[in-house]
Amino acid sequence: MSHTIKDKQKLLNRVRRIRGQLESIERALEEEKGCMEILHQITSCRGAMNGLLATVLEDHIRTHLIDAPHDSTEHNEDHTDAREQLIDVVKSYLK
């Protein structure tokens, strides 16, 4: 089962919150709100999008980029460390 199907409701809830944020930005623009308020809303929406991207990307790495376990315990530990380092780098980039 794909991780996006397994976590479908969680992901849909995030998307719906993002949609609400986008609608709020649209309303603010239509109502000619101040630029600082609009920038704050845009930043919040970008953060929510990055969070969604990070979640899907992390699940993808954990689900699809892991080879079948090998006999060597040391190799598995190295593989796990490399995977965790990759996830940390991606998360730090998306912040």
Side-chain angles (χ1 to χ4, degrees):
M1 176 186 311
S2 173
H3 58 91
T4 55
I5 294 170
K6 181 182 73 170
D7 296 329
K8 178 181 174 181
Q9 193 58 52
K10 178 178 80 170
L11 295 172
L12 285 173
N13 289 342
R14 280 179 171 253
V15 169
R16 290 179 182 128
R17 283 192 295 274
I18 292 167
R19 181 183 305 136
Q21 289 177 313
L22 286 171
E23 290 169 354
S24 178
I25 293 169
E26 182 180 16
R27 280 191 304 276
L29 290 168
E30 287 175 350
E31 296 171 5
E32 299 178 2
K33 299 284 183 175
C35 60
M36 289 304 294
E37 181 179 339
I38 293 170
L39 287 170
H40 180 71
Q41 290 177 336
I42 292 169
T43 302
S44 295
C45 188
R46 182 182 64 182
M49 287 293 294
N50 285 347
L52 175 63
L53 178 60
T55 297
V56 173
L57 187 55
E58 179 179 348
D59 288 346
H60 175 77
I61 291 167
R62 292 186 189 281
T63 304
H64 299 292
L65 300 181
I66 301 170
D67 295 331
H70 297 277
D71 292 337
S72 168
T73 303
E74 182 178 325
H75 177 75
N76 286 338
E77 289 172 5
D78 290 343
H79 189 67
T80 300
D81 289 343
R83 182 184 61 195
E84 293 302 322
Q85 288 174 7
L86 175 60
I87 290 169
D88 290 343
V89 167
V90 170
K91 281 183 175 180
S92 69
Y93 173 74
L94 295 174
K95 286 185 179 180

